[in-house]
Every structure is written in structure tokens, then in C-alpha cells.
Amino acid sequence: MVPHLITALTGPINELEQRILDSMPAIERWFRLEWMEHTPPFYCAVDIRNAGFKLAPVDTNLFPGGWNNLTPQMLPLAVQSAMAAIEKICPEAKNLLLIPENDTRSTFYLSNVAQLQRIFHMAGLNVRVGSINPDIKETTVVNLPNGEQVTLEPVIRSKRRLGLKDFDPCTILLNNDLSAGAPGILEELHEQYLLPPLHAGWSVRRKSTHFRNYEELAKRLGKLLGIDPWLINPMFNQCGAVDMAQGQGMECLNTNVDALLGKIRRKYKEYGINEKPFVIVKSDSGSRNMGIMTVRDVKDLAVLHHRAKTQQDDIPAQDIIIQEGVLTNERINDAVAEPVVYMMDRYVVGGFYRIHAERGVDENLSAPGSSYVPLAFAESAHLPQVGMRPGASAPNRFYMYGVVGRLAMAAASYELEATDPDAETYD
């Protein structure tokens, strides 16, 4: 299924699609050379917004859930990618320990855990699920709505290794974004492979660092394609600690929001775009304490400050990223939709549309009430159809999404290299 764009079929996004399709050999070579120099994250998911005049990532998750949204047709590619990823890291791997989030009540999330377990089992590994939730003190079986079960077992920590009773893994796969920080039980595991590494967690990661790397890569790919990198890059600014309720950092926030709105207006004028610019204000880390706020005018910030002050929100001061708001002009029926691209190792393995009937084109769709429709990657064995007119072919549009998704994945590889505490440094 390809949702329809509410923008004209002759719009800039189709020109971008054509440019990307015409440059396919150069693009694939470019990525191939990148992966020779930089190791991709073990797995990731990238949220993309298609405005009809630009296509850009708005979030990159290095501990992706939602694998249960991939269709059975996508599984063979996920399994092959899992094999390739494991083979590079630990070819002799036999046992894999999967560590999920601590929330054991969400059967939707645990369905994602079951799917990951299935993928790595089919990749040739013995897979068991070990919980670091202190409330899991004995083997716990959770029944899922589809009739499956997930068995959670309490982890056992020795001096240098982590495992389960009668289960000693050489590889540990984290599906826990470590927002609250890396627990001590996962530290100092020198004899086992921890994937992704601890410094990929939100206690270390910063969205501004990721998008700064993405911006540089978008410039390089834009030069290769002969396009304005803005067409694939969301501009951003950042502020230090901001406390909405106390008013701390509001001057910085006002200044940066105003400056970014001005830059977007100039771009819209350059491209003849008749839309009202907006920015997204959110935490620079993965903290879930702060919501995602849509701001169309600096005056909106005074309203947000007043609301936080009167409600006495107990939200600590935190670093803020102000990101260019990218409209989503795709629809499935009457609901706005945004593609989410899933990757493992250096490969696109599938994805889905996140849709929300009650949200607008300039709002966050990852909210209660959202639902998921699989991307039709199964069509034409994922291969683009050269010669089709832009906008007419699902594989062609999904190839374009895959290029932008892989560009975000490459940015994440740069990001992880820069924050690796074990990386060698030279004077």
C-alpha cells in the first residue's frame, strides 16, 4: 500500500525521487564506501516525514521496538541481515540473550520481543529472554494476544559475565534504550558482546549530536546528487538546560526558536511553499519526562511557560533541541501517515506506516491512538522499478525512504564512534 500524497504529483518530492533513482549506482557505491570505514549500528529504526516538498528523518532509534509490525514477507531479509550482523561480530555465536525493556505489562511491546526472538532463532541462535527488572525473580510466562508466549527469566550476573540459569551467551542483545542510565549489571562485561553498546543509550546520546552528523552527511550526499541538502535534512538549533516551569533558559529558547523559524521561512519563500513554518521543541536526550511541542510562533512559548508554571510540572531542567518541523502530507484513508524504516546491520529490512486519525500534519504521530500499516516492501522483491514515472511505484518511493533511512543510520555510526569510551585517541 502506498498512501496518497495530498500534494501535487508533479511536486518537488517526485523530482527528488527521480534524481535518487537516476543516481542509484553512485548512491550504492557511496554507502558501500561508508560502510568500509564506519560500522553501522547493530539495528535501528528511522522515523521519516514526507512533506511533498522535502523528505527528512525526524528521529533515529537505536533500540527499536515494533518489530512485530513487520510482515511475514519481510522476515527472510531480517533473518539474512541478522546472520550478516552476527557473523561480523561473533561468528562462533551459539547463544544469544535478549534483554527487553522492564515494562512487562505491554503485550504489544512483548510481541515485538517475540518477533526479535523468532528472527534470531531463524538466524541460527539459541535465544532466551533475560529481564533486568528487579521484580522478575523467577521464570515468568506472558501470554500474548496472538496466542504466542514470551518467557522472561531473571538474569544472573557473575564477575565478568551475564546469563541465565544453565544458559551462557556470548552475545547480549539490548532492546532497552537505557533512558534511566546504564544499570551496573550491564557494565564491565569484557568477555561478552553487548549490542548495541551502552553508550548508544539515551543516558549518553544527544539528538543534536546525531543530527549534526546527519547534516554533514546530507551535504555530502546532496553534492553527489546535485540537490539542495535541505530537501533531505531537518534544520535544528539547540539550547542548554531549560526549565519551562521556572523560566530557566527561556531566553535561549526564544532566541533559537525565532532564528530557526526565520530560516525555514526563507527556505519556504525560495521554493514557493505556501505553508506556515513550525518547529518541534523536545528533549535533546531520549528522556520521556518532556513531551514533544509544536511551536508556530515565539509567542507560543509564553503560553507553554505559563501552562508549565500553573500546572507546577515536576519536570527537571533538561537540554533542548529545536528541530525544523516537517509536515507529513501522506494519507492512508483520512489518517495522516509517516513511514518508519527498519534496518539491521547495513540493510533495510522493512518498515511500516505509523498513522493517526486524530493528529494533524504538523503533529507527533507517536502517541496513544496511533496504528500501523506495513510498508509494501514485499512488492517487486524490494527492487526499484527503473523507468516508472515518479510517484507511481511503491518500490521506488520505498527505495527513496531507504536511502534517507540509511543516511540516518550512517550518521548514527559516526555518533557512536565519537562517544565510544573505549575508542583510541591520539594527540
Side-chain angles (χ1 to χ4, degrees):
M1 177 184 293
V2 187
H4 64 275
L5 276 171
I6 61 172
T7 47
L9 284 176
T10 55
I13 205 70
N14 291 325
E15 295 171 23
L16 178 62
E17 180 183 310
Q18 190 64 59
R19 188 67 63 94
I20 285 174
L21 288 171
D22 290 345
S23 306
M24 194 188 308
I27 290 171
E28 295 306 321
R29 178 178 182 272
W30 189 86
F31 276 119
R32 193 162 61 246
L33 295 176
E34 281 297 312
W35 302 136
M36 287 175 67
E37 298 290 332
H38 306 280
T39 302
F42 186 79
Y43 58 4
C44 72
V46 179
D47 296 356
I48 296 173
R49 308 274 287 206
N50 186 347
F53 53 83
K54 77 179 289 179
L55 182 78
V58 293
D59 198 24
T60 301
N61 186 354
L62 298 185
F63 298 88
W67 289 90
N68 50 311
N69 292 316
L70 302 191
T71 63
Q73 293 93 330
M74 297 176 190
L75 285 188
L77 195 52
V79 170
Q80 290 172 351
S81 301
M83 287 177 175
I86 291 291
E87 196 174 295
K88 282 198 306 190
I89 295 158
C90 184
E92 69 277 12
K94 182 171 69 173
N95 295 336
L96 181 138
L97 178 62
L98 174 57
I99 296 184
E101 298 278 357
N102 285 352
D103 183 5
T104 58
R105 295 165 298 175
S106 171
T107 54
F108 183 82
Y109 172 72
L110 291 176
S111 295
N112 148 78
V113 172
Q115 182 83 304
L116 278 172
Q117 196 168 7
R118 181 181 300 110
I119 288 168
F120 285 95
H121 173 76
M122 293 167 71
L125 294 164
N126 302 314
V127 187
R128 283 162 67 175
V129 183
S131 177
I132 57 173
N133 183 341
D135 295 336
I136 302 292
K137 295 182 171 63
E138 58 186 30
T139 299
T140 304
V141 178
V142 181
N143 295 313
L144 303 179
N146 63 359
E148 287 187 294
Q149 293 181 326
V150 169
T151 301
L152 303 171
E153 302 177 68
V155 296
I156 298 171
R157 174 67 198 249
S158 64
K159 186 174 181 180
R160 299 177 69 84
R161 297 181 74 84
L162 190 70
L164 305 174
K165 185 180 180 183
D166 303 321
F167 188 75
D168 184 29
C170 84
T171 306
I172 299 165
L173 178 63
L174 282 179
N175 196 242
N176 181 320
D177 67 10
L178 308 177
S179 290
I185 198 169
L186 296 178
E187 295 178 336
E188 307 292 326
L189 295 173
H190 298 301
E191 297 176 357
Q192 292 168 301
Y193 295 95
L194 187 65
L195 307 168
L198 292 181
H199 66 279
W202 277 124
S203 54
V204 176
R205 278 191 80 200
R206 291 295 176 268
K207 294 171 187 174
S208 54
T209 304
H210 174 74
F211 282 102
R212 193 172 294 111
N213 283 297
Y214 181 86
E215 185 175 53
E216 290 305 309
L217 287 169
K219 287 177 183 175
R220 286 171 45 201
L221 186 63
K223 188 175 181 181
L224 179 74
L225 298 177
I227 63 167
D228 179 352
W230 176 75
L231 295 173
I232 55 173
N233 176 51
M235 299 185 291
F236 74 95
N237 284 337
Q238 65 184 118
C239 281
V242 174
D243 184 328
M244 282 276 187
Q246 300 300 321
Q248 176 189 350
M250 290 300 293
E251 186 176 341
C252 174
L253 191 57
N254 277 293
T255 301
N256 280 284
V257 165
D258 192 42
L260 188 53
L261 283 170
K263 287 170 73 175
I264 301 168
R265 279 190 207 99
R266 288 190 289 276
K267 277 294 182 185
Y268 280 14
K269 185 176 180 181
E270 178 185 342
Y271 283 90
I273 296 163
N274 189 26
E275 299 283 355
K276 185 172 176 61
F278 68 101
V279 297
I280 299 296
V281 176
K282 55 188 176 181
S283 171
D284 200 16
S285 70
S287 170
R288 293 168 183 167
N289 291 330
M290 178 182 178
I292 295 174
M293 296 173 283
T294 301
V295 178
R296 299 170 187 83
D297 191 290
V298 174
K299 296 173 186 173
D300 296 346
L301 293 173
V303 176
L304 292 171
H305 167 51
H306 178 72
R307 186 186 305 157
K309 188 176 180 180
T310 54
Q311 291 178 353
Q312 296 183 321
D313 292 337
D314 188 22
I315 298 175
Q318 50 195 300
D319 292 349
I320 296 296
I321 181 171
I322 305 113
Q323 192 175 53
E324 175 188 356
V326 182
L327 297 166
T328 181
N329 270 334
E330 294 190 88
R331 293 281 191 282
I332 291 180
N333 298 324
D334 292 326
V336 292
E338 66 181 8
V340 185
V341 176
Y342 275 62
M343 289 158 286
M344 192 175 292
D345 193 55
R346 56 181 179 165
Y347 306 104
V348 175
V349 299
F352 53 83
Y353 281 104
R354 181 185 289 118
I355 64 175
H356 204 302
E358 297 173 10
R359 291 281 171 132
V361 296
D362 58 356
E363 292 183 295
N364 172 38
L365 303 188
S366 183
S370 60
S371 56
Y372 308 91
V373 175
L375 288 175
F377 274 119
E379 292 183 28
S380 304
H382 304 236
L383 296 176
Q385 298 171 321
V386 179
M388 294 283 286
R389 67 179 176 82
S393 162
N396 286 2
R397 187 182 294 179
F398 299 150
Y399 177 72
M400 183 170 62
Y401 293 163
V403 169
V404 170
R406 284 183 289 165
L407 197 61
M409 180 167 62
S413 72
Y414 280 65
E415 177 191 354
L416 291 179
E417 286 169 11
T419 55
D420 185 354
D422 298 322
E424 294 182 10
T425 55
Y426 301 93
D427 293 328

